[in-house]
Amino acid sequence: EVQLVESGGGSVQAGGSLRLSCTASGITFADPDMGWYRQAPGNECELVSAIEDNGRTYYADSVKGRFTISQDNGKNTVYLQMNSLKPEDTAVYYCAADPHPLVATMLCRPHRANNYWGQGTQVTVSS
């Protein structure tokens, strides 16, 4: 059974930092592409950041320069360092893993074969 377990969410004041972690287990394909989506109430799912098995990264314009994604391939673990947090970063953050590069999706849930998601972790940024 594939499991993605996220940690590191919480509440912080604007300007603060949080680090999200996600470890995938039970994945049968090697070197998954991994990343983070988020969804705030009333908003569509947003691809925040992703990293491919070759190290290539993607960042949404809204987080460029503030968030940094990294991975530990040997442990199927991905991290998201979030600095200079803003109230508009408040959302449930979901980790995802896929044998192919992550893509935008309207709903924060699996949308194709071998596309796996965690349960989500809440990030709340107060002004």
Tab-separated table of all heavy atoms in Angstrom, residues 44-110:
chain	number	residue	atom	x	y	z
A	44	GLU	N	-9.394	26.891	-6.067
A	44	GLU	CA	-9.023	25.663	-6.752
A	44	GLU	C	-7.687	25.154	-6.201
A	44	GLU	O	-6.932	25.880	-5.568
A	44	GLU	CB	-8.904	25.909	-8.252
A	44	GLU	CG	-10.224	26.166	-8.937
A	44	GLU	CD	-10.100	26.261	-10.447
A	44	GLU	OE1	-8.954	26.263	-10.945
A	44	GLU	OE2	-11.130	26.334	-11.124
A	45	CYS	N	-7.431	23.903	-6.481
A	45	CYS	CA	-6.155	23.302	-6.108
A	45	CYS	C	-5.040	23.992	-6.892
A	45	CYS	O	-5.178	24.258	-8.091
A	45	CYS	CB	-6.212	21.810	-6.436
A	45	CYS	SG	-4.762	20.888	-5.894
A	46	GLU	N	-3.947	24.262	-6.222
A	46	GLU	CA	-2.812	24.943	-6.852
A	46	GLU	C	-1.544	24.117	-6.691
A	46	GLU	O	-1.213	23.687	-5.583
A	46	GLU	CB	-2.599	26.311	-6.204
A	46	GLU	CG	-1.404	27.085	-6.753
A	46	GLU	CD	-1.127	28.383	-6.006
A	46	GLU	OE1	-1.606	28.539	-4.865
A	46	GLU	OE2	-0.410	29.246	-6.559
A	47	LEU	N	-0.846	23.898	-7.777
A	47	LEU	CA	0.470	23.272	-7.718
A	47	LEU	C	1.462	24.322	-7.225
A	47	LEU	O	1.730	25.294	-7.929
A	47	LEU	CB	0.882	22.724	-9.073
A	47	LEU	CG	2.284	22.107	-9.165
A	47	LEU	CD1	2.461	20.962	-8.178
A	47	LEU	CD2	2.573	21.645	-10.589
A	48	VAL	N	1.988	24.125	-6.052
A	48	VAL	CA	2.865	25.109	-5.416
A	48	VAL	C	4.311	24.926	-5.863
A	48	VAL	O	4.980	25.868	-6.270
A	48	VAL	CB	2.785	24.993	-3.882
A	48	VAL	CG1	3.774	25.942	-3.219
A	48	VAL	CG2	1.376	25.271	-3.401
A	49	SER	N	4.781	23.696	-5.791
A	49	SER	CA	6.176	23.427	-6.124
A	49	SER	C	6.343	21.945	-6.396
A	49	SER	O	5.629	21.120	-5.825
A	49	SER	CB	7.089	23.840	-4.964
A	49	SER	OG	8.446	23.638	-5.293
A	50	ALA	N	7.265	21.615	-7.279
A	50	ALA	CA	7.517	20.218	-7.611
A	50	ALA	C	8.991	20.030	-7.936
A	50	ALA	O	9.689	20.987	-8.316
A	50	ALA	CB	6.652	19.782	-8.787
A	51	ILE	N	9.435	18.809	-7.781
A	51	ILE	CA	10.816	18.479	-8.120
A	51	ILE	C	10.834	17.146	-8.843
A	51	ILE	O	10.189	16.183	-8.404
A	51	ILE	CB	11.713	18.469	-6.854
A	51	ILE	CG1	13.170	18.276	-7.227
A	51	ILE	CG2	11.241	17.449	-5.827
A	51	ILE	CD1	14.133	18.632	-6.088
A	52	GLU	N	11.533	17.112	-9.972
A	52	GLU	CA	11.610	15.897	-10.769
A	52	GLU	C	12.805	15.062	-10.310
A	52	GLU	O	13.690	15.553	-9.593
A	52	GLU	CB	11.720	16.248	-12.251
A	52	GLU	CG	10.513	17.011	-12.769
A	52	GLU	CD	10.636	17.376	-14.241
A	52	GLU	OE1	11.529	16.831	-14.919
A	52	GLU	OE2	9.830	18.201	-14.696
A	53	ASP	N	12.835	13.821	-10.766
A	53	ASP	CA	13.918	12.938	-10.330
A	53	ASP	C	15.273	13.404	-10.832
A	53	ASP	O	16.308	13.015	-10.283
A	53	ASP	CB	13.646	11.495	-10.743
A	53	ASP	CG	13.535	11.326	-12.238
A	53	ASP	OD1	13.513	12.339	-12.965
A	53	ASP	OD2	13.442	10.176	-12.693
A	54	ASN	N	15.289	14.275	-11.843
A	54	ASN	CA	16.564	14.817	-12.334
A	54	ASN	C	16.964	16.103	-11.612
A	54	ASN	O	17.970	16.717	-11.949
A	54	ASN	CB	16.491	15.058	-13.840
A	54	ASN	CG	15.398	16.044	-14.222
A	54	ASN	OD1	14.824	16.717	-13.359
A	54	ASN	ND2	15.095	16.122	-15.505
A	55	GLY	N	16.144	16.507	-10.641
A	55	GLY	CA	16.445	17.698	-9.855
A	55	GLY	C	15.807	18.972	-10.354
A	55	GLY	O	15.885	20.016	-9.684
A	56	ARG	N	15.167	18.923	-11.512
A	56	ARG	CA	14.524	20.118	-12.038
A	56	ARG	C	13.351	20.499	-11.131
A	56	ARG	O	12.587	19.649	-10.716
A	56	ARG	CB	14.042	19.885	-13.458
A	56	ARG	CG	13.398	21.109	-14.111
A	56	ARG	CD	13.395	20.993	-15.614
A	56	ARG	NE	12.809	19.750	-16.087
A	56	ARG	CZ	12.823	19.372	-17.354
A	56	ARG	NH1	13.404	20.138	-18.260
A	56	ARG	NH2	12.276	18.239	-17.716
A	57	THR	N	13.215	21.788	-10.879
A	57	THR	CA	12.186	22.254	-9.963
A	57	THR	C	11.187	23.181	-10.639
A	57	THR	O	11.476	23.794	-11.673
A	57	THR	CB	12.807	22.995	-8.760
A	57	THR	OG1	13.591	24.096	-9.241
A	57	THR	CG2	13.687	22.066	-7.945
A	58	TYR	N	10.027	23.267	-10.025
A	58	TYR	CA	8.967	24.185	-10.459
A	58	TYR	C	8.446	24.922	-9.232
A	58	TYR	O	8.308	24.325	-8.159
A	58	TYR	CB	7.818	23.406	-11.108
A	58	TYR	CG	6.559	24.236	-11.224
A	58	TYR	CD1	6.368	25.110	-12.289
A	58	TYR	CD2	5.587	24.184	-10.230
A	58	TYR	CE1	5.228	25.897	-12.373
A	58	TYR	CE2	4.444	24.971	-10.299
A	58	TYR	CZ	4.278	25.816	-11.372
A	58	TYR	OH	3.152	26.605	-11.447
A	59	TYR	N	8.166	26.212	-9.421
A	59	TYR	CA	7.539	27.005	-8.365
A	59	TYR	C	6.417	27.832	-8.977
A	59	TYR	O	6.573	28.423	-10.049
A	59	TYR	CB	8.539	27.949	-7.705
A	59	TYR	CG	9.650	27.256	-6.953
A	59	TYR	CD1	10.879	27.025	-7.542
A	59	TYR	CD2	9.452	26.817	-5.646
A	59	TYR	CE1	11.898	26.379	-6.855
A	59	TYR	CE2	10.466	26.185	-4.947
A	59	TYR	CZ	11.684	25.964	-5.566
A	59	TYR	OH	12.682	25.326	-4.867
A	60	ALA	N	5.298	27.901	-8.289
A	60	ALA	CA	4.253	28.830	-8.677
A	60	ALA	C	4.787	30.252	-8.507
A	60	ALA	O	5.600	30.521	-7.614
A	60	ALA	CB	3.016	28.614	-7.817
A	61	ASP	N	4.316	31.149	-9.361
A	61	ASP	CA	4.789	32.535	-9.284
A	61	ASP	C	4.575	33.130	-7.899
A	61	ASP	O	5.381	33.933	-7.418
A	61	ASP	CB	4.068	33.394	-10.326
A	61	ASP	CG	4.535	33.109	-11.736
A	61	ASP	OD1	5.623	32.500	-11.905
A	61	ASP	OD2	3.816	33.489	-12.673
A	62	SER	N	3.499	32.706	-7.252
A	62	SER	CA	3.136	33.285	-5.963
A	62	SER	C	4.121	32.932	-4.847
A	62	SER	O	4.102	33.569	-3.792
A	62	SER	CB	1.730	32.836	-5.562
A	62	SER	OG	1.655	31.422	-5.526
A	63	VAL	N	4.969	31.919	-5.069
A	63	VAL	CA	5.885	31.498	-4.000
A	63	VAL	C	7.351	31.609	-4.386
A	63	VAL	O	8.228	31.347	-3.567
A	63	VAL	CB	5.587	30.060	-3.539
A	63	VAL	CG1	4.118	29.910	-3.153
A	63	VAL	CG2	5.979	29.039	-4.596
A	64	LYS	N	7.628	32.011	-5.613
A	64	LYS	CA	9.017	32.118	-6.063
A	64	LYS	C	9.789	33.077	-5.175
A	64	LYS	O	9.306	34.154	-4.840
A	64	LYS	CB	9.070	32.596	-7.509
A	64	LYS	CG	8.775	31.520	-8.530
A	64	LYS	CD	8.846	32.055	-9.952
A	64	LYS	CE	8.519	30.962	-10.962
A	64	LYS	NZ	8.485	31.491	-12.353
A	65	GLY	N	10.981	32.660	-4.797
A	65	GLY	CA	11.825	33.481	-3.949
A	65	GLY	C	11.550	33.327	-2.467
A	65	GLY	O	12.318	33.811	-1.635
A	66	ARG	N	10.461	32.635	-2.134
A	66	ARG	CA	10.112	32.451	-0.718
A	66	ARG	C	10.135	30.978	-0.308
A	66	ARG	O	10.467	30.657	0.827
A	66	ARG	CB	8.722	33.021	-0.442
A	66	ARG	CG	8.594	34.499	-0.732
A	66	ARG	CD	7.245	35.044	-0.251
A	66	ARG	NE	6.109	34.430	-0.931
A	66	ARG	CZ	5.133	33.774	-0.298
A	66	ARG	NH1	5.162	33.651	1.017
A	66	ARG	NH2	4.131	33.256	-0.985
A	67	PHE	N	9.766	30.101	-1.214
A	67	PHE	CA	9.701	28.674	-0.925
A	67	PHE	C	10.843	27.961	-1.641
A	67	PHE	O	11.232	28.340	-2.747
A	67	PHE	CB	8.379	28.070	-1.402
A	67	PHE	CG	7.156	28.508	-0.640
A	67	PHE	CD1	7.194	29.533	0.295
A	67	PHE	CD2	5.948	27.864	-0.858
A	67	PHE	CE1	6.077	29.928	0.986
A	67	PHE	CE2	4.804	28.236	-0.178
A	67	PHE	CZ	4.865	29.275	0.742
A	68	THR	N	11.337	26.902	-1.009
A	68	THR	CA	12.385	26.087	-1.607
A	68	THR	C	12.034	24.613	-1.426
A	68	THR	O	11.768	24.173	-0.301
A	68	THR	CB	13.747	26.354	-0.964
A	68	THR	OG1	14.077	27.749	-1.082
A	68	THR	CG2	14.837	25.533	-1.650
A	69	ILE	N	12.048	23.890	-2.535
A	69	ILE	CA	11.763	22.458	-2.484
A	69	ILE	C	13.075	21.685	-2.575
A	69	ILE	O	14.005	22.103	-3.283
A	69	ILE	CB	10.783	22.043	-3.600
A	69	ILE	CG1	10.251	20.632	-3.354
A	69	ILE	CG2	11.437	22.161	-4.978
A	69	ILE	CD1	9.064	20.269	-4.253
A	70	SER	N	13.148	20.589	-1.859
A	70	SER	CA	14.320	19.722	-1.936
A	70	SER	C	13.862	18.283	-1.711
A	70	SER	O	12.731	18.038	-1.282
A	70	SER	CB	15.376	20.121	-0.907
A	70	SER	OG	14.856	20.057	0.404
A	71	GLN	N	14.755	17.354	-2.013
A	71	GLN	CA	14.359	15.951	-1.881
A	71	GLN	C	15.519	15.105	-1.428
A	71	GLN	O	16.680	15.457	-1.587
A	71	GLN	CB	13.821	15.426	-3.216
A	71	GLN	CG	14.863	15.328	-4.303
A	71	GLN	CD	14.297	14.845	-5.624
A	71	GLN	OE1	14.630	15.368	-6.681
A	71	GLN	NE2	13.460	13.849	-5.577
A	72	ASP	N	15.178	13.979	-0.857
A	72	ASP	CA	16.136	12.947	-0.504
A	72	ASP	C	15.675	11.702	-1.235
A	72	ASP	O	14.808	10.976	-0.751
A	72	ASP	CB	16.144	12.732	1.012
A	72	ASP	CG	17.179	11.709	1.440
A	72	ASP	OD1	17.607	10.891	0.589
A	72	ASP	OD2	17.564	11.706	2.615
A	73	ASN	N	16.231	11.492	-2.423
A	73	ASN	CA	15.749	10.394	-3.265
A	73	ASN	C	15.841	9.040	-2.573
A	73	ASN	O	14.966	8.203	-2.686
A	73	ASN	CB	16.528	10.356	-4.570
A	73	ASN	CG	15.927	11.276	-5.614
A	73	ASN	OD1	14.752	11.630	-5.527
A	73	ASN	ND2	16.716	11.671	-6.578
A	74	GLY	N	16.918	8.858	-1.856
A	74	GLY	CA	17.119	7.558	-1.226
A	74	GLY	C	16.033	7.223	-0.223
A	74	GLY	O	15.801	6.052	0.074
A	75	LYS	N	15.359	8.252	0.295
A	75	LYS	CA	14.323	8.040	1.289
A	75	LYS	C	12.942	8.395	0.766
A	75	LYS	O	11.976	8.420	1.528
A	75	LYS	CB	14.624	8.868	2.544
A	75	LYS	CG	15.928	8.477	3.239
A	75	LYS	CD	16.155	9.305	4.489
A	75	LYS	CE	17.448	8.906	5.191
A	75	LYS	NZ	17.690	9.712	6.411
A	76	ASN	N	12.822	8.670	-0.540
A	76	ASN	CA	11.540	9.095	-1.119
A	76	ASN	C	10.903	10.189	-0.261
A	76	ASN	O	9.710	10.132	0.065
A	76	ASN	CB	10.588	7.907	-1.262
A	76	ASN	CG	10.878	7.085	-2.500
A	76	ASN	OD1	11.692	7.470	-3.335
A	76	ASN	ND2	10.239	5.945	-2.609
A	77	THR	N	11.704	11.166	0.100
A	77	THR	CA	11.233	12.245	0.954
A	77	THR	C	11.420	13.578	0.248
A	77	THR	O	12.436	13.810	-0.412
A	77	THR	CB	12.018	12.256	2.278
A	77	THR	OG1	11.764	11.016	2.963
A	77	THR	CG2	11.584	13.401	3.164
A	78	VAL	N	10.423	14.432	0.396
A	78	VAL	CA	10.488	15.765	-0.176
A	78	VAL	C	10.194	16.786	0.913
A	78	VAL	O	9.403	16.507	1.830
A	78	VAL	CB	9.501	15.911	-1.358
A	78	VAL	CG1	8.055	15.794	-0.909
A	78	VAL	CG2	9.734	17.202	-2.113
A	79	TYR	N	10.873	17.908	0.828
A	79	TYR	CA	10.716	18.976	1.809
A	79	TYR	C	10.274	20.263	1.105
A	79	TYR	O	10.609	20.477	-0.052
A	79	TYR	CB	12.038	19.242	2.529
A	79	TYR	CG	12.675	18.012	3.119
A	79	TYR	CD1	13.645	17.295	2.413
A	79	TYR	CD2	12.304	17.543	4.382
A	79	TYR	CE1	14.232	16.162	2.951
A	79	TYR	CE2	12.888	16.417	4.925
A	79	TYR	CZ	13.858	15.729	4.204
A	79	TYR	OH	14.417	14.601	4.745
A	80	LEU	N	9.566	21.095	1.838
A	80	LEU	CA	9.219	22.418	1.338
A	80	LEU	C	9.529	23.427	2.441
A	80	LEU	O	8.837	23.473	3.452
A	80	LEU	CB	7.744	22.502	0.934
A	80	LEU	CG	7.345	23.808	0.249
A	80	LEU	CD1	8.024	23.921	-1.112
A	80	LEU	CD2	5.834	23.901	0.089
A	81	GLN	N	10.589	24.185	2.236
A	81	GLN	CA	10.940	25.241	3.166
A	81	GLN	C	10.182	26.499	2.761
A	81	GLN	O	10.337	26.979	1.628
A	81	GLN	CB	12.450	25.510	3.143
A	81	GLN	CG	12.894	26.635	4.054
A	81	GLN	CD	12.698	26.320	5.525
A	81	GLN	OE1	12.988	25.224	5.983
A	81	GLN	NE2	12.196	27.286	6.275
A	82	MET	N	9.360	26.994	3.669
A	82	MET	CA	8.514	28.143	3.369
A	82	MET	C	8.939	29.309	4.255
A	82	MET	O	8.811	29.242	5.483
A	82	MET	CB	7.046	27.787	3.614
A	82	MET	CG	6.591	26.560	2.845
A	82	MET	SD	4.811	26.228	2.998
A	82	MET	CE	4.686	25.872	4.742
A	83	ASN	N	9.455	30.341	3.630
A	83	ASN	CA	9.891	31.537	4.335
A	83	ASN	C	9.026	32.730	3.958
A	83	ASN	O	8.297	32.681	2.959
A	83	ASN	CB	11.351	31.842	4.006
A	83	ASN	CG	12.306	30.748	4.437
A	83	ASN	OD1	12.059	30.040	5.429
A	83	ASN	ND2	13.396	30.587	3.705
A	84	SER	N	9.115	33.775	4.746
A	84	SER	CA	8.360	35.005	4.483
A	84	SER	C	6.896	34.701	4.201
A	84	SER	O	6.308	35.187	3.227
A	84	SER	CB	8.979	35.767	3.296
A	84	SER	OG	10.337	36.069	3.560
A	85	LEU	N	6.308	33.888	5.040
A	85	LEU	CA	4.926	33.461	4.826
A	85	LEU	C	3.961	34.626	4.892
A	85	LEU	O	4.163	35.585	5.671
A	85	LEU	CB	4.560	32.378	5.837
A	85	LEU	CG	5.125	30.989	5.511
A	85	LEU	CD1	5.120	30.099	6.742
A	85	LEU	CD2	4.337	30.351	4.382
A	86	LYS	N	2.920	34.527	4.076
A	86	LYS	CA	1.890	35.552	3.993
A	86	LYS	C	0.537	34.935	4.349
A	86	LYS	O	0.353	33.718	4.186
A	86	LYS	CB	1.828	36.109	2.568
A	86	LYS	CG	3.142	36.656	2.050
A	86	LYS	CD	3.005	37.089	0.588
A	86	LYS	CE	4.306	37.641	0.039
A	86	LYS	NZ	4.169	38.047	-1.391
A	87	PRO	N	-0.414	35.743	4.780
A	87	PRO	CA	-1.745	35.197	5.079
A	87	PRO	C	-2.349	34.445	3.890
A	87	PRO	O	-3.058	33.447	4.095
A	87	PRO	CB	-2.556	36.443	5.433
A	87	PRO	CG	-1.545	37.382	6.013
A	87	PRO	CD	-0.305	37.158	5.198
A	88	GLU	N	-2.047	34.873	2.684
A	88	GLU	CA	-2.593	34.191	1.507
A	88	GLU	C	-1.957	32.830	1.256
A	88	GLU	O	-2.404	32.095	0.367
A	88	GLU	CB	-2.452	35.065	0.254
A	88	GLU	CG	-1.067	35.627	0.015
A	88	GLU	CD	-0.924	37.052	0.541
A	88	GLU	OE1	-1.383	37.336	1.680
A	88	GLU	OE2	-0.323	37.882	-0.168
A	89	ASP	N	-0.948	32.467	2.008
A	89	ASP	CA	-0.388	31.117	1.936
A	89	ASP	C	-1.201	30.123	2.770
A	89	ASP	O	-0.946	28.911	2.710
A	89	ASP	CB	1.062	31.103	2.434
A	89	ASP	CG	2.005	31.895	1.537
A	89	ASP	OD1	1.865	31.793	0.304
A	89	ASP	OD2	2.869	32.611	2.080
A	90	THR	N	-2.158	30.626	3.525
A	90	THR	CA	-2.990	29.760	4.350
A	90	THR	C	-3.771	28.784	3.479
A	90	THR	O	-4.467	29.195	2.544
A	90	THR	CB	-3.963	30.593	5.195
A	90	THR	OG1	-3.208	31.390	6.121
A	90	THR	CG2	-4.922	29.703	5.958
A	91	ALA	N	-3.630	27.495	3.768
A	91	ALA	CA	-4.266	26.451	2.958
A	91	ALA	C	-3.947	25.096	3.565
A	91	ALA	O	-3.098	24.984	4.460
A	91	ALA	CB	-3.771	26.499	1.519
A	92	VAL	N	-4.604	24.081	3.040
A	92	VAL	CA	-4.177	22.708	3.301
A	92	VAL	C	-3.156	22.356	2.224
A	92	VAL	O	-3.419	22.522	1.034
A	92	VAL	CB	-5.356	21.728	3.273
A	92	VAL	CG1	-4.855	20.307	3.491
A	92	VAL	CG2	-6.381	22.099	4.334
A	93	TYR	N	-2.011	21.889	2.652
A	93	TYR	CA	-0.930	21.531	1.736
A	93	TYR	C	-0.880	20.012	1.595
A	93	TYR	O	-0.864	19.289	2.592
A	93	TYR	CB	0.402	22.060	2.256
A	93	TYR	CG	0.563	23.539	2.040
A	93	TYR	CD1	-0.203	24.448	2.768
A	93	TYR	CD2	1.458	24.039	1.114
A	93	TYR	CE1	-0.075	25.816	2.568
A	93	TYR	CE2	1.607	25.409	0.907
A	93	TYR	CZ	0.835	26.288	1.631
A	93	TYR	OH	0.967	27.635	1.423
A	94	TYR	N	-0.851	19.563	0.351
A	94	TYR	CA	-0.841	18.141	0.044
A	94	TYR	C	0.460	17.769	-0.662
A	94	TYR	O	0.877	18.446	-1.603
A	94	TYR	CB	-1.999	17.769	-0.878
A	94	TYR	CG	-3.365	18.022	-0.308
A	94	TYR	CD1	-4.008	19.231	-0.502
A	94	TYR	CD2	-4.040	17.027	0.411
A	94	TYR	CE1	-5.275	19.463	0.009
A	94	TYR	CE2	-5.302	17.248	0.918
A	94	TYR	CZ	-5.916	18.466	0.712
A	94	TYR	OH	-7.171	18.690	1.219
A	95	CYS	N	1.028	16.672	-0.239
A	95	CYS	CA	2.188	16.105	-0.911
A	95	CYS	C	1.695	15.130	-1.982
A	95	CYS	O	0.680	14.444	-1.775
A	95	CYS	CB	3.038	15.373	0.122
A	95	CYS	SG	4.425	14.457	-0.536
A	96	ALA	N	2.393	15.064	-3.096
A	96	ALA	CA	2.017	14.145	-4.156
A	96	ALA	C	3.266	13.507	-4.748
A	96	ALA	O	4.342	14.099	-4.742
A	96	ALA	CB	1.226	14.846	-5.246
A	97	ALA	N	3.077	12.299	-5.263
A	97	ALA	CA	4.164	11.573	-5.916
A	97	ALA	C	3.635	10.929	-7.183
A	97	ALA	O	2.486	10.481	-7.234
A	97	ALA	CB	4.738	10.510	-4.977
A	98	ASP	N	4.501	10.859	-8.197
A	98	ASP	CA	4.059	10.389	-9.501
A	98	ASP	C	5.300	9.957	-10.283
A	98	ASP	O	6.356	10.546	-10.118
A	98	ASP	CB	3.344	11.530	-10.221
A	98	ASP	CG	2.526	11.076	-11.405
A	98	ASP	OD1	3.124	10.623	-12.402
A	98	ASP	OD2	1.291	11.178	-11.345
A	99	PRO	N	5.185	8.958	-11.129
A	99	PRO	CA	6.332	8.598	-11.964
A	99	PRO	C	6.639	9.644	-13.034
A	99	PRO	O	7.718	9.629	-13.620
A	99	PRO	CB	5.925	7.271	-12.595
A	99	PRO	CG	4.443	7.248	-12.514
A	99	PRO	CD	4.065	8.025	-11.298
A	100	HIS	N	5.682	10.543	-13.282
A	100	HIS	CA	5.841	11.598	-14.277
A	100	HIS	C	5.758	12.962	-13.605
A	100	HIS	O	5.276	13.070	-12.469
A	100	HIS	CB	4.754	11.465	-15.345
A	100	HIS	CG	4.712	10.119	-15.977
A	100	HIS	ND1	5.728	9.626	-16.764
A	100	HIS	CD2	3.775	9.127	-15.913
A	100	HIS	CE1	5.414	8.419	-17.168
A	100	HIS	NE2	4.248	8.081	-16.670
A	101	PRO	N	6.209	14.024	-14.279
A	101	PRO	CA	6.149	15.361	-13.662
A	101	PRO	C	4.743	15.728	-13.220
A	101	PRO	O	3.761	15.460	-13.915
A	101	PRO	CB	6.638	16.270	-14.801
A	101	PRO	CG	7.552	15.400	-15.594
A	101	PRO	CD	6.910	14.039	-15.575
A	102	LEU	N	4.655	16.368	-12.061
A	102	LEU	CA	3.367	16.789	-11.544
A	102	LEU	C	2.792	17.897	-12.420
A	102	LEU	O	3.522	18.730	-12.961
A	102	LEU	CB	3.517	17.277	-10.111
A	102	LEU	CG	4.044	16.251	-9.104
A	102	LEU	CD1	4.054	16.849	-7.705
A	102	LEU	CD2	3.227	14.975	-9.134
A	103	VAL	N	1.481	17.910	-12.528
A	103	VAL	CA	0.806	18.907	-13.353
A	103	VAL	C	-0.318	19.539	-12.554
A	103	VAL	O	-0.752	19.023	-11.521
A	103	VAL	CB	0.245	18.267	-14.645
A	103	VAL	CG1	1.375	17.737	-15.498
A	103	VAL	CG2	-0.747	17.152	-14.316
A	104	ALA	N	-0.788	20.667	-13.067
A	104	ALA	CA	-1.905	21.334	-12.421
A	104	ALA	C	-3.149	20.456	-12.491
A	104	ALA	O	-3.358	19.706	-13.438
A	104	ALA	CB	-2.172	22.667	-13.105
A	105	THR	N	-3.962	20.550	-11.453
A	105	THR	CA	-5.201	19.793	-11.406
A	105	THR	C	-6.232	20.608	-10.648
A	105	THR	O	-5.894	21.367	-9.733
A	105	THR	CB	-4.992	18.424	-10.739
A	105	THR	OG1	-6.224	17.719	-10.698
A	105	THR	CG2	-4.459	18.566	-9.328
A	106	MET	N	-7.490	20.483	-11.031
A	106	MET	CA	-8.533	21.298	-10.416
A	106	MET	C	-8.829	20.855	-8.994
A	106	MET	O	-9.149	21.668	-8.135
A	106	MET	CB	-9.799	21.254	-11.257
A	106	MET	CG	-9.684	21.986	-12.574
A	106	MET	SD	-11.236	22.021	-13.465
A	106	MET	CE	-12.254	22.950	-12.328
A	107	LEU	N	-8.726	19.559	-8.746
A	107	LEU	CA	-9.061	19.023	-7.438
A	107	LEU	C	-7.823	18.395	-6.827
A	107	LEU	O	-7.075	17.696	-7.507
A	107	LEU	CB	-10.173	17.984	-7.559
A	107	LEU	CG	-11.504	18.490	-8.121
A	107	LEU	CD1	-12.480	17.337	-8.276
A	107	LEU	CD2	-12.082	19.572	-7.217
A	108	CYS	N	-7.639	18.611	-5.552
A	108	CYS	CA	-6.467	18.084	-4.860
A	108	CYS	C	-6.686	16.624	-4.481
A	108	CYS	O	-6.907	16.290	-3.302
A	108	CYS	CB	-6.149	18.922	-3.617
A	108	CYS	SG	-5.279	20.461	-3.950
A	109	ARG	N	-6.582	15.788	-5.483
A	109	ARG	CA	-6.728	14.358	-5.243
A	109	ARG	C	-6.138	13.627	-6.440
A	109	ARG	O	-5.906	14.222	-7.488
A	109	ARG	CB	-8.187	13.986	-5.052
A	109	ARG	CG	-9.059	14.224	-6.250
A	109	ARG	CD	-10.512	13.949	-5.897
A	109	ARG	NE	-11.391	14.018	-7.059
A	109	ARG	CZ	-12.701	14.123	-6.989
A	109	ARG	NH1	-13.291	14.175	-5.820
A	109	ARG	NH2	-13.422	14.160	-8.087
A	110	PRO	N	-5.920	12.309	-6.295
A	110	PRO	CA	-5.331	11.558	-7.400
A	110	PRO	C	-6.144	11.705	-8.684
A	110	PRO	O	-7.379	11.666	-8.658
A	110	PRO	CB	-5.371	10.118	-6.883
A	110	PRO	CG	-5.324	10.247	-5.408
A	110	PRO	CD	-6.104	11.475	-5.095
